[in-house]
Amino acid sequence: MDRRWADLRNQVVYRSKRLNTGHLIEADQRFGQRNALGAHALMLFFVSDAPSEPHGYKLHTAHRTWPQSPDSDVLPQLLADMTEVAADNIAAIGREWSPLGPEGSMVNGGDMTLPPGAWYVGVGVSTLDSDQGRWYQVARTLREAAAGRHMSAFNLKGQCYVLLTDGTALHIDRDPHARLGDNGVRCNKTLNPDRITYYNPYEHLTEQGDDETRDIWRQLTALHHTLSAHLLSGRRA
């Protein structure tokens, strides 16, 4: 089971980086247009039994992006709004509600149809805000400087925050200029089950960082608990 969860964490890291890159490309292509894409995206993770796979499961990822608007610009508030949406759907629809829809869907892309028996394992967010600056500011600066500096969106960073149902917290810093061997991943649990004992500086990851970062973790935790309580009700561990 430890190896399975470690494998899942690594798969989630890969999926999150890939989604963040796709998010960046689409936002760059639509920047400044009437259909401009917002800086944040929601990610939902599910697994299904797959006996032919090395660890006996298959990972499924659905996501949601938003148009650029004041309502989708502030990540902690966006997460709080999604928690409220989920709670309202649960109250209105009951046990049959799924964040994948068809009624009250919270997603608009990715794996929106799951195999029978698939179950929820986590939630995350992709954001194009980074320590380089807010997405809209950086993207605008990129365009002003691109002609002289030969820069593109692929020079920009992105990041993801993820919570899984085994208590895993992941922060993923996607940095195209990272040094070789630096994968940009901080996790409160091991990504390598063969390392039996080691000091983990990220054991309390969700309590670290500045006020905004901690607020993102708090709001993501509230959404995660709301989804877990509903989607995993009655499921045996």
Side-chain angles (χ1 to χ4, degrees):
M1 185 61 70
D2 288 345
R3 289 184 177 277
R4 179 168 168 158
W5 274 107
D7 181 75
L8 179 60
R9 291 174 202 127
N10 282 290
Q11 285 207 41
V12 166
V13 167
Y14 172 77
R15 292 284 185 92
S16 298
K17 284 186 175 182
R18 189 174 69 177
L19 190 144
N20 186 266
T21 300
H23 183 191
L24 169 69
I25 293 170
E26 187 172 357
D28 179 61
Q29 291 172 343
R30 292 162 54 174
F31 185 81
Q33 301 179 19
R34 293 184 65 180
N35 65 339
L37 194 64
H40 315 302
L42 181 71
M43 304 182 291
L44 296 176
F45 301 100
F46 299 82
V47 298
S48 62
D49 288 325
S52 63
E53 295 294 326
H55 292 275
Y57 76 93
K58 184 175 182 180
L59 176 65
H60 309 273
T61 308
H63 62 262
R64 175 170 179 170
T65 55
W66 285 267
Q68 178 183 346
S69 75
D71 292 338
S72 64
D73 281 352
V74 181
L75 182 51
Q77 184 58 52
L78 181 62
L79 290 170
D81 291 344
M82 294 309 294
T83 302
E84 185 175 348
V85 167
D88 288 346
N89 283 328
I90 293 167
I93 302 172
R95 291 176 59 90
E96 299 302 314
W97 178 73
S98 166
L100 306 187
E103 186 177 356
S105 174
M106 292 176 63
V107 298
N108 56 17
D111 300 322
M112 298 173 67
T113 301
L114 301 178
W119 65 95
Y120 170 81
V121 291
V123 63
V125 287
S126 160
T127 177
L128 304 181
D129 292 343
S130 71
D131 58 11
Q132 291 175 317
R134 300 293 185 188
W135 160 247
Y136 304 119
Q137 174 190 0
V138 172
R140 188 175 298 108
T141 302
L142 178 71
R143 280 157 175 74
E144 294 170 354
R149 298 172 60 186
H150 305 289
M151 292 182 67
S152 74
F154 292 99
N155 294 101
L156 302 182
K157 298 170 67 174
Q159 54 185 332
C160 301
Y161 300 80
V162 177
L163 294 172
L164 302 179
T165 52
D166 73 327
T168 294
L170 280 160
H171 178 262
I172 303 155
D173 186 17
R174 184 191 54 75
D175 183 357
H177 303 293
R179 293 175 296 179
L180 186 65
D182 181 5
N183 63 7
V185 177
R186 294 184 290 169
C187 185
N188 66 340
K189 293 179 179 286
T190 184
L191 298 173
N192 181 0
D194 293 326
R195 294 184 64 183
I196 305 301
T197 58
Y198 70 106
Y199 168 68
N200 185 355
Y202 309 120
E203 181 180 359
H204 304 290
L205 179 61
T206 61
E207 302 169 17
Q208 298 172 351
D210 58 20
D211 289 344
E212 182 180 18
T213 298
R214 294 195 301 273
D215 196 16
I216 291 170
W217 282 122
R218 281 192 294 269
Q219 300 302 336
L220 186 63
T221 297
L223 176 57
H224 182 49
H225 286 170
T226 299
L227 293 173
S228 296
H230 173 71
L231 298 174
L232 300 179
S233 176
R235 177 178 174 81
R236 298 176 64 181

